[in-house]
């Protein structure tokens, strides 16, 4: 996927899930905050989940998306 496509899909995802105003706020925060997503993800994403629980969540998510 090229950068233009990635940016387009990312903006589309933000707008779909947050709405136009909140998507713009999110983008603004990313640009103005000294925020390192990679570090945040290591410290906050999936904290307290075992590998099995994470796999179960992923399978549940996939099933839900297949139904939609």
């Amino acid at each position: 996927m090229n950068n233009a496509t990635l940016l387009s899909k990312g903006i589309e995802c933000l707008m779909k899930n947050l709405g136009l105003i909140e998507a713009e706020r999110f983008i603004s925060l990313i640009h103005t905050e000294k925020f390192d997503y990679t570090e945040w993800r290591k410290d906050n994403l999936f904290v307290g989940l075992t590998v099995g629980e994470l796999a179960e969540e992923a399978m549940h998510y996939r099933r839900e998306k297949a139904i939609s």
Side-chain angles (χ1 to χ4, degrees):
M1 180 181 314
N2 65 36
N3 288 348
T5 302
L6 179 61
L7 286 170
S8 179
K9 287 184 176 224
I11 297 287
E12 182 180 312
C13 182
L14 287 171
M15 290 176 54
K16 178 181 176 187
N17 289 287
L18 298 175
L20 177 63
I21 302 298
E22 298 302 323
E24 288 183 10
R25 280 186 60 212
F26 176 81
I27 292 167
S28 177
L29 285 170
I30 292 295
H31 284 293
T32 59
E33 296 286 324
K34 291 186 191 279
F35 179 76
D36 185 337
Y37 174 77
T38 303
E39 287 299 317
W40 173 85
R41 188 183 69 199
K42 285 193 290 189
D43 293 338
N44 296 292
L45 199 58
F46 310 120
V47 170
L49 292 181
T50 65
V51 172
E53 291 168 333
L54 180 58
E56 188 175 318
E57 290 288 325
M59 287 185 286
H60 175 74
Y61 177 81
R62 185 168 185 241
R63 281 192 300 271
E64 290 293 316
K65 289 298 178 183
I67 294 169
S68 301

